[in-house]
């Protein structure tokens, strides 16, 4: 099987669009499911989400945010016509497809790309879906697609202040996110809230939603290795029980999630991730000279 | 006639010295060379095959005296000797380089060996390994493979789910009979536990890979990245294939249901070993997958998985303690590997059951609290002494914990396909290894729970026969 890159383009700052030949996934994938990709021989396995697909033509679209070494390597080393080594999937459970009524579907940063297939399917099913995308100004993606797919698409951008460090800039996004969610929930009555984004932002939004007593679902992103339930790297506590996000999720009831624990677990490899990234950047610079 | 002189002692196999091997993942045991292999084979008194207890002790019934005889008959022509020996082995076992390394021979073929009554049993495992290794290095296995390639026209098509030892064996046996076989494997490499679980220092991956190359040469197709139950269902497979064999193993780790299980630096052995073996995290950052091991590692459990995790952690530079709730004689790991672990400096603590993981202010584990246990005279169904809590506690420091208390069958496939299962999650099968779905057979850890490589291979072989009969009788009645 070859997983050829049929198309590759930068659709926003640090956001790369890949259209990949993967008929086995395209044939079966449902909104809410993900794939595990390994792009290089000495590479790691990372979870990504099919954003769009064509079952007949056998392709899926992946959109990656350049976050660390692997997504960076993919962006800089892979060209149209190249092949990914492995695309395994679809994995995880499909999102629940029901008539919830009026739904607010939130995507922080590149999280919106995972919201897209789900929000679109919910709208098609007869739900009244509002999508909310909060991100940095140069990182807007899928605006036209969402405007077309759902009842209403709300875009909130935050400028990147070059005088502030990145963590502080990110705090501004979190702030705008919670403000905007509060504003929307105060103005209108929603039956359900759904969110994809960093665990810290999810907790912040959940704390607002909780005040309104509205049901909320979250797509959780713990670290994954195999994605098939074989290792437990992706374990999270939900409703007091240990669950594996790759086989029991990735979607969970936000009211049942132990957020503090999840946030602590997402930072486990930070040092090593930075080291991998630095080594890679060094190699890149060395290569240019 | 003069009685042959019995040589009581084994010809030893050299091993890498401890100081050297704990610094790398290179294989520990170096195996025999031809001269010493022949010397060891000559110790066998050649019990008649219909009686030889070693053959009965081997779950796939390799003609052991037969291959030992082949080795010594051509003592002046090593290539010929090995070729003949390998032919005998391959009749019953197509993965000898693997089984020669990882089987618990002391409980199987070597346990009843007649020579064991007067001295050391014949070193059957190491001889099997020698034959496979020599053949591979000299390209003899390539030559021999030709003899096993069968006509595949119109016999039928079989889908095998899972590329561990059970699935590989079933596929190879069916291919030798002339079936067209496709293996569906969830991970990006075939091999199952052989690839992601058992470390390089016991089973080098390039050796495993050449064993896997046989699949292709015998015409077996391997589709990796296919998760049956998600990518394709069993129902769909049955529309295209005449029969299916489920060998998805028991890959889901059991975790301890005690406080602190989600602290940082607590791994399941499966995650730890997958990162190390499959993803080569020990070569980070040359390889992209990270692994974080501190200075003081506690491994909980005392099976093969625990030994492998402990010895891997040691090679990543940690000080390692194995904590087990029973006693020394109750450990389930292979004797050879327990001995290796001890030589390499792994410490053992017995009669300790973990009750809590204690974390620091950053959410990282810093200690494990154990309850001390005490052995009773009474024994359980497996013949192990029962234990009871003493009410006394002890706390051991650790900056990394690896849990190796066992594995259960993966539920993806079962849930998606509606198989009948036992309470422990294993698949229900009849005496022909057929599951509750007609035409779908199963074997290995998927029906046994965590067991051994050779039992999985035995199931694969038995299922191949049953599948052949099933397809023939269906065609005869059609
Ligand atoms: C179900 C699921 C779906 C996802 N879908 C997308 C998507 O469509 N687009 C996208 O850009 N990102 C997605 N992610 C996040 C994506 O997997 C990470 O951004 C990616 O692994 C980062 O790899 P890196 O080497 O570039 O970064 P690094 O930060 O260096 O990551 C190194 C390691 O951390 C793990 N890791 C780090 N962050 C995450 C995270 N948030 N989630 C899971 N593993 C992580 C990686 O698996 C890897 O082992 C998804 C995550 C999950 C769990
Ligand atoms: C660390 C460790 C060390 C061990 N050491 C020894 C030893 O020294 N000696 C010994 O005899 N035994 C040992 N064992 C036990 C032995 O490895 C197993 O009994 C044996 O591998 C079982 O073989 P299997 O084919 O049934 O399953 P596995 O080897 O588990 O293979 C199952 C395969 O199926 C795949 N799979 C699972 N679900 C799906 C799905 N839905 N779709 C597609 N593919 C799927 C998996 O990815 C895997 O590749 C050890 C086990 C472990 C974990
Ligand atoms: S039981 Fe021992 S001595 Fe007898 S044939 Fe087998 S290996 Fe040789
Ligand atoms: S990623 Fe390994 S169990 Fe979920």
């Amino acid at each position: 099987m070859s997983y050829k890159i049929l198309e590759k383009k930068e659709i926003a700052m640090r956001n790369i669009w890949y259209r990949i030949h993967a008929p086995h996934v395209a044939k079966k994938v449902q909104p809410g499911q993900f794939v595990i990709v390994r792009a290089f021989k000495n590479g790691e396995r990372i979870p990504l989400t099919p954003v769009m697909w064509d079952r007949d033509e056998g392709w899926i679209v992946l959109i990656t945010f350049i976050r660390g070494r692997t997504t960076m390597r993919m962006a800089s080393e892979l060209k149209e016509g190249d092949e990914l080594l492995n695309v395994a999937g679809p994995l995880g459970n499909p999102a629940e497809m029901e008539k919830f009524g009026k739904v607010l579907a939130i995507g922080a940063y590149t999280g919106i790309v995972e919201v897209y297939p789900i929000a679109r399917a919910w709208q098609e099913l007869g739900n009244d879906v509002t999508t909310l995308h909060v991100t940095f100004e140069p990182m807007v993606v899928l605006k036209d697609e969402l405007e077309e797919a759902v009842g209403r698409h709300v875009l909130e951008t935050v400028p990147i202040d070059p005088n502030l460090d990145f963590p502080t800039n990110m705090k501004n996004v979190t702030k705008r996110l919670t403000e905007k969610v509060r504003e929307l929930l105060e103005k209108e009555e929603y039956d359900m809230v759904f969110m994809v984004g960093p665990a810290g932002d999810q907790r912040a939004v959940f704390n607002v939603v909780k005040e309104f007593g509205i049901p909320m679902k979250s797509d959780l992103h713990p670290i994954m290795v195999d994605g098939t339930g074989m290792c437990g790297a992706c374990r999270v506590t939900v409703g007091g029980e240990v669950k594996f996000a790759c086989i029991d999720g990735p979607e969970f009831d936000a009211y049942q999630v132990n957020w503090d624990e999840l946030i602590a677990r997402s930072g486990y490899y930070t040092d090593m991730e930075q080291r991998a990234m630095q080594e890679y950047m060094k190699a890149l610079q060395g290569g240019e000279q | 006639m003069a009685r042959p002189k019995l040589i009581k002692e084994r010809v030893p196999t050299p091993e890498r010295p401890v100081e050297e091997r704990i610094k790398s993942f290179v294989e520990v045991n170096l195996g025999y060379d031809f001269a010493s292999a022949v010397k060891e084979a000559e110790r066998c008194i050649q019990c008649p095959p219909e009686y030889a207890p070693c053959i009965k002790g081997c779950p796939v019934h390799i003609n052991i005296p037969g291959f030992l005889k082949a080795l010594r008959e051509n003592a002046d022509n090593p290539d010929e000797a090995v070729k003949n020996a390998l032919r005998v082995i391959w009749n019953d076992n197509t993965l000898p380089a693997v089984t020669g390394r990882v089987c618990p021979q002391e409980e199987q073929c070597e346990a009843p060996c007649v020579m064991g009554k007067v001295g050391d049993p014949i070193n059957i495992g190491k001889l099997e390994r020698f034959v496979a290794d020599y053949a591979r290095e000299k390209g003899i296995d390539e030559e021999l493979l030709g003899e096993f390639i069968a006509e595949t026209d119109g016999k039928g098509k079989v889908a095998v789910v899972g590329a561990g030892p059970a699935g590989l064996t079933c596929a190879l046996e069916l291919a030798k009979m002339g079936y067209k076989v496709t293996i569906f494997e969830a991970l990006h490499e075939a091999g199952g536990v052989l690839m992601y679980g058992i470390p390089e220092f016991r089973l080098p991956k390039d050796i495993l890979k050449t064993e896997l190359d046989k699949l292709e040469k015998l015409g077996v197709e391997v589709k990796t990245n296919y998760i049956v139950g998600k990518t394709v269902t069993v129902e769909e497979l049955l529309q295209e294939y005449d029969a299916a064999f489920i060998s998805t193993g028991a890959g889901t780790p059991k975790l301890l249901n005690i406080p602190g299980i989600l602290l940082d630096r607590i791994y399941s052995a499966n995650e730890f070993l997958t990162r190390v073996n499959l993803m080569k995290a020990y070569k980070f950052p040359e390889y992209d997958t990270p692994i974080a091991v501190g200075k003081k590692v506690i491994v909980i459990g005392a099976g093969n998985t625990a030994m492998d995790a402990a010895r891997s952690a040691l090679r990543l530079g940690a000080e390692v303690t194995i904590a087990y709730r029973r006693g020394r004689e109750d450990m389930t790991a292979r004797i050879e590997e327990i001995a290796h672990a001890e030589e390499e400096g792994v410490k053992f603590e017995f009669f300790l059951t973990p009750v809590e993981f204690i974390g620091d202010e950053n959410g990282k584990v810093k200690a494990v609290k154990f309850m001390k246990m005490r052995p009773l005279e009474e024994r359980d169904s497996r013949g192990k002494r029962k234990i009871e809590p003493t009410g006394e506690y002890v706390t051991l420091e650790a900056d990394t914990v690896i849990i190796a208390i066992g594995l259960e069958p993966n539920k993806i496939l079962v849930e998606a396909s509606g198989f009948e299962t036992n309470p422990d999650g294993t698949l229900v099968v009849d005496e022909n290894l057929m599951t509750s779905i007609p035409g779908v057979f199963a074997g290995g850890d998927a029906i046994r729970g965590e067991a051994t490589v050779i039992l999985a291979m035995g199931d694969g072989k038995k299922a191949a026969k049953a599948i052949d009969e099933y397809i023939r009788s269906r065609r005869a009645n059609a």
Side-chain angles (χ1 to χ4, degrees), chain B residues 379-418:
Chain B
R379 290 181 185 263
D380 67 13
S381 55
R382 289 175 303 164
K384 292 185 176 181
R385 270 182 307 171
K386 288 192 172 171
I387 45 172
E388 67 172 9
T390 59
E392 271 177 68
Y393 295 92
V394 54
T395 299
L396 302 180
E397 264 177 54
D399 52 21
T400 309
V401 175
I402 303 170
I403 300 172
I405 58 162
L407 300 160
E408 329 179 300
N410 196 314
K411 59 187 185 185
I412 289 186
L413 174 99
V414 174
E415 279 183 357
S417 314

Side-chain angles (χ1 to χ4, degrees), chain A residues 228 230, chain B residues 101-104 108 161-168 184-187 189-194 196-199 202 226-229 247-251 270 273 304-306 308-309 334 337 407 410 412-413 443-446 449-454 456:
Chain A
T228 64
M230 270 181 25
Chain B
R101 287 180 162 81
V102 305
C103 275
Q108 299 175 165
V161 183
L168 295 172
F184 297 86
E185 166 58 45
L187 292 174
E189 301 231 42
V193 172
L194 305 177
Y196 73 75
I198 300 179
R202 287 214 287 137
Y226 260 76
I227 303 95
V228 176
S247 48
T248 45
N270 251 21
L273 290 169
N304 284 316
T305 316
D308 286 346
R334 293 187 58 201
E337 303 313 335
L407 300 160
N410 196 314
I412 289 186
L413 174 99
D445 285 5
E450 213 185 343
T452 62
V453 170
I454 195 74

Side-chain angles (χ1 to χ4, degrees), chain A residues 3 28 38 42 44-45 69 73 86-87 89-90 92 228-231 233 235 237 248 265 268-269 272, chain B residues 188 225 230-231 236 251-252 261-268 270-271 284-286 288-289 291 410-411:
Chain A
Y3 313 103
K28 278 295 167 63
R38 184 169 147 268
N42 60 350
E44 61 180 344
R45 296 165 63 95
R69 166 140 139 165
R73 272 188 84 181
N86 312 99
V87 179
T228 64
M230 270 181 25
C231 75
R235 61 189 188 270
T237 312
D248 300 316
R265 277 182 77 76
Y268 284 9
Y269 289 96
M272 298 188 83
Chain B
H188 62 268
N225 303 311
K230 298 272 184 198
T231 314
E236 287 165 328
T252 299
I261 185 72
L262 274 99
L263 287 169
D264 187 4
R265 306 291 196 263
I266 298 181
Y267 290 96
S268 75
N270 251 21
E271 180 187 349
F284 179 89
E286 179 193 337
D288 288 346
T289 302
I291 189 145
N410 196 314
K411 59 187 185 185

Side-chain angles (χ1 to χ4, degrees), chain B residues 59-134:
Chain B
V60 295
H61 309 306
I62 298 175
N63 179 353
I64 293 163
F67 96 78
L68 299 185
K69 187 163 161 228
L71 266 186
R72 59 202 220 191
E73 263 176 5
N74 272 302
D76 51 351
N77 184 351
D79 289 9
E80 191 60 23
V82 166
K83 185 169 184 178
N84 293 337
L86 189 63
R87 187 182 287 118
V88 176
I89 296 174
W90 272 6
N91 268 322
D92 298 293
N93 173 2
T94 351
L95 303 170
V98 173
T99 49
R101 287 180 162 81
V102 305
C103 275
Q105 288 95 2
E106 66 274 9
E107 296 166 19
Q108 299 175 165
C109 54
E110 291 175 15
C113 169
V114 176
M115 280 299 290
K117 308 275 188 302
V118 292
D120 297 332
I122 306 299
N123 201 344
I124 302 168
K126 294 289 188 302
L127 287 168
E128 184 188 15
R129 165 181 162 177
F130 164 75
V131 170
D133 287 359
Y134 185 97

Side-chain angles (χ1 to χ4, degrees), chain A residues 258-284:
Chain A
N258 184 330
W259 290 106
D260 295 344
E261 207 173 61
L262 180 70
I263 289 163
R265 277 182 77 76
S266 1
Y268 284 9
Y269 289 96
T270 317
D271 323 352
M272 298 188 83
E273 281 160 13
Q274 273 167 7
R275 202 175 128 207
M277 184 76 168
Q278 277 158 8
E279 301 260 345
Y280 182 68
M281 301 284 260
K282 244 195 290 179
L284 267 190

